[in-house]
Amino acid sequence: MSTTEQPKIRIFDTTLRDGEQSPGASMNLEEKLTIAAALSDLGVDIIEAGFPIASPGDFEAVEQIAKTIRGPVICGLARCSDQDIDRAWEALKHSHSPRIHVFLATSAIHREFKLKMTADEIVLRAVAGVKRAKRVCDDIEFSPEDAARTEPDFLCRVVEAVIQAGATTVNIPDTVGYATPAHMGRVIHTLKNRVPNIDKAIISIHCHNDLGLAVANSLAAVENGARQVECTINGIGERAGNCSLEEIVMALRTRNDHYGFQTNIVTKRLVPVSRLVSSTTGLDVQRNKAIVGRNAFAHEAGIHQDGMLKEPSTYEIMRPEDVGLVKTDLVLGKHSGRAALSDRAKQLGFDLTGEQLQAVFEEFKRVADRKKEVYDGDIMAIIQSQLHGTLTEHWELSDFAVHLRRGKSPMFQLKLSRAGESHEIELEDGEGPIDAAFLATEKLTGVPMNCREFKINATSLGHDALGEVTLSIEHNGHEYRGRGVSTDCVEASLVAILSAINRIPSVQ
Ligand code: KIV
Ligand code: ZN
């Protein structure tokens, strides 16, 4: 069979719903709309835009995405309750292709301890939920939460009943990331063989990555009959995350000889979308992450480099350009103009709006004044920090000075502005300049916080490289991420602290 005639696997992206449940990854409306548009350009079949009843912000995001994004199916999550389903429909009704996704836990452990419901009651509630949703929407997905730990007989019973009630997709979640590939394959095989009306619905798979097996489990499900895979960009999600979209897509494509399926994904958009999600959420992609990590295509060993020069396929199973990775040796400097910067940003995968380009250009000029040569790594870090920061700029850094004395607390002066008003503080406190930066910012903004994570990386080679700070703070039990870039590490830290503070809803 030619590849164009091969059957398709639908890609269901849940970055904006399950992915947003990663600690510190919450996004505002504008950010969600930008990501939804990028997912649509990437070619995903279904966008799960949120959980409308969860909060007014979630509702508005699903509603706006339903109103503006054309192409993919737009999906909203609901528990099996009338209020949830009605609220989901209220947000989704504007879409050309809406889907309501209802879920109810089915495993014995969830039935007994979480829901305190009998098996019979679960079936009745699931059927009632699907029927309620079906009254308003044709496209209904049902998920038996914790399906991977549900008794096979009971799972078959629930799946048959919800298809009978009108579900067009049945999604099989491994909610706690407990399954192994053989186990997941067996679950799907059982459903395919034992549920009499299974051909009336599409089987979907939804795996969490607690054992690092989400992609492998999803592939096993595909081999046994699943035709929709639920996944997130960069694999973000609760705890260890979800099945990573880029990995499952490239596994299906690279091993087409084995799987024999196509997807609608424009793979050249994978790296750009990965970078967009990372900058927006502040969640870094690990260097050695498959497909989109910085080292994914870097060949270090001499013997590999030698082989690559002679024939790339000796050590390369995918071409970097197929996933949107472009290599340039060009260097920008202080005489480079806006057009050159915009062009380079595009090559790096960022299609900047006029306003974003202006912010990035101003920062680029500041950097280029201090640093002769500006490399791709520097440009990417500048863009990522600007995308993370500019959408919600409330507290801004105006100036600072720090005087370090060995064995003594630094003397720190900090000047911030907010809504056109200037605020200043001077203190002599802290274990070093970064600690002092945190203490001064906390005092001046009145926002108490604990630093949960603090990382500093050089964005290129040389001792004049930019320092890129990524951090997360905890405030009132919630985590917020920040990013800052500068040739001065204290300045980068202050910008990162402020970008995290600016994401706290009470600050906005
Ligand atoms: O992991 C899970 O069970 C879910 C469902 C709501 C599909 O995210
Ligand atoms: Zn999930």
Side-chain angles (χ1 to χ4, degrees):
M1 195 189 291
S2 84
T3 51
T4 47
E5 289 162 11
Q6 285 177 343
K8 288 254 165 87
I9 297 294
R10 290 166 177 77
I11 298 297
F12 176 116
D13 180 277
T14 182
T15 305
L16 297 175
R17 200 278 297 168
D18 227 353
E20 210 211 5
Q21 284 172 226
S22 313
S26 52
M27 296 168 244
N28 64 27
L29 177 63
E30 199 179 334
E31 291 168 333
K32 285 184 181 177
L33 283 167
T34 306
I35 289 181
L39 291 171
S40 173
D41 292 346
L42 177 65
V44 307
D45 300 283
I46 301 109
I47 296 176
E48 187 162 51
F51 190 0
I53 202 148
S55 70
D58 251 54
F59 179 88
E60 199 186 355
V62 178
E63 187 181 44
Q64 288 304 320
I65 291 170
K67 280 183 178 166
T68 54
I69 303 291
R70 294 287 170 257
V73 169
I74 307 300
C75 176
L77 186 68
R79 285 165 299 193
C80 272
S81 83
D82 292 356
Q83 296 98 303
D84 272 48
I85 294 165
D86 296 351
R87 189 86 176 130
W89 180 243
E90 197 51 34
L92 288 165
K93 66 182 181 201
H94 312 278
S95 170
H96 282 189
S97 347
R99 172 181 295 187
I100 303 179
H101 178 186
V102 281
F103 75 102
L104 181 66
T106 50
S107 64
I109 202 160
H110 279 234
R111 295 196 308 262
E112 188 178 339
F113 297 107
K114 188 176 86 174
L115 300 171
K116 302 196 188 323
M117 285 168 77
T118 65
D120 288 346
E121 285 167 339
I122 293 285
V123 176
L124 285 176
R125 171 84 66 90
V127 166
V130 170
K131 284 193 169 156
R132 173 100 186 177
K134 195 74 181 180
R135 286 202 325 217
V136 288
C137 183
D138 284 336
D139 187 348
I140 305 298
E141 173 166 328
F142 177 81
S143 287
E145 192 191 359
D146 205 17
R149 292 192 299 170
T150 300
E151 310 90 307
D153 286 348
F154 184 57
L155 187 62
C156 288
R157 183 176 159 206
V158 173
V159 167
E160 183 181 351
V162 295
I163 295 174
Q164 173 79 32
T168 41
T169 300
V170 276
N171 177 45
I172 305 302
D174 179 17
T175 305
V176 293
Y178 172 75
T180 60
H183 170 181
M184 208 69 239
R186 247 189 341 267
V187 173
I188 304 299
H189 187 262
T190 304
L191 293 172
K192 269 296 260 185
N193 285 286
R194 299 216 344 237
V195 175
N197 54 0
I198 196 72
D199 291 340
K200 295 207 166 64
I202 289 171
I203 303 180
S204 167
I205 183 73
H206 176 115
C207 293
H208 281 266
N209 204 31
D210 299 65
L211 293 173
L213 293 171
V215 175
N217 290 343
S218 304
L219 287 169
V222 165
E223 283 190 283
N224 283 278
R227 293 294 175 264
Q228 172 179 295
V229 176
E230 304 202 351
C231 42
T232 59
I233 300 294
N234 299 335
I236 65 170
E238 196 133 31
R239 309 184 307 278
N242 288 55
C243 171
S244 132
L245 182 148
E246 53 281 357
E247 291 178 23
I248 188 94
V249 165
M250 289 312 287
L252 288 170
R253 178 179 150 134
T254 307
R255 295 309 311 275
N256 181 268
D257 59 318
H258 178 73
Y259 295 106
F261 290 110
Q262 293 290 306
T263 70
N264 286 325
I265 297 298
V266 182
T267 61
K268 281 188 184 338
R269 303 283 319 147
L270 287 172
V271 166
V273 179
S274 157
R275 288 177 181 163
L276 174 69
V277 169
S278 164
S279 15
T280 309
T281 57
L283 289 171
D284 271 347
V285 172
Q286 82 200 49
R287 274 174 185 252
N288 61 331
K289 161 98 172 59
I291 320 296
V292 292
R294 207 141 139 192
N295 293 354
F297 291 89
H299 295 266
E300 195 64 37
I303 194 163
H304 287 205
Q305 288 172 348
D306 180 53
M308 287 284 295
L309 287 173
K310 289 178 176 143
E311 168 52 52
S313 64
T314 47
Y315 283 103
E316 206 166 66
I317 58 165
M318 300 166 275
R319 294 182 314 164
E321 54 271 33
D322 289 343
V323 299
L325 208 61
V326 281
K327 239 195 174 141
T328 58
D329 294 324
L330 292 169
V331 174
L332 297 187
K334 70 175 179 190
H335 299 299
S336 308
R338 197 186 306 255
L341 180 67
S342 162
D343 212 48
R344 181 61 56 79
K346 256 197 204 104
Q347 287 178 8
L348 293 169
F350 296 96
D351 228 339
L352 302 174
T353 63
E355 204 181 321
Q356 288 169 339
L357 179 62
Q358 181 58 27
V360 170
F361 187 63
E362 279 169 21
E363 188 56 30
F364 164 77
K365 281 286 175 196
R366 260 195 295 274
V367 168
D369 266 344
R370 284 153 111 177
K371 188 176 185 299
K372 240 173 59 207
E373 296 181 318
V374 185
Y375 299 95
D376 281 355
D378 302 326
I379 294 169
M380 238 159 65
I382 294 170
I383 296 173
Q384 293 195 307
S385 72
Q386 290 302 311
L387 287 187
H388 191 66
T390 47
L391 295 172
T392 50
E393 207 68 74
H394 305 285
W395 283 103
E396 265 186 272
L397 177 64
S398 308
D399 205 1
F400 77 95
V402 57
H403 178 60
L404 299 174
R405 299 149 322 155
R406 192 171 185 194
K408 287 190 176 161
S409 286
M411 319 245 274
F412 207 98
Q413 287 171 307
L414 180 62
K415 195 166 165 188
L416 302 179
S417 69
R418 189 187 185 192
E421 257 183 52
S422 187
H423 304 256
E424 279 186 68
I425 195 172
E426 211 175 305
L427 57 76
E428 189 178 335
D429 200 357
E431 292 304 320
I434 307 294
D435 190 24
F438 270 100
L439 293 171
T441 313
E442 204 171 12
K443 278 227 162 76
L444 206 49
T445 59
V447 176
M449 61 187 142
N450 289 316
C451 177
R452 283 277 200 88
E453 195 184 311
F454 183 94
K455 266 191 304 183
I456 182 154
N457 276 325
T459 57
S460 57
L461 299 176
H463 40 70
D464 66 345
L466 290 179
E468 181 184 32
V469 170
T470 47
L471 53 77
S472 95
I473 57 166
E474 193 230 283
H475 169 78
N476 274 349
H478 294 281
E479 197 176 333
Y480 301 93
R481 296 187 166 270
R483 205 185 264 271
V485 176
S486 171
T487 44
D488 177 333
C489 295
V490 179
E491 183 174 8
S493 307
L494 283 165
V495 172
I497 297 169
L498 292 174
S499 86
I501 288 179
N502 285 336
R503 299 180 86 81
I504 300 174
S506 59
V507 171
Q508 294 171 19

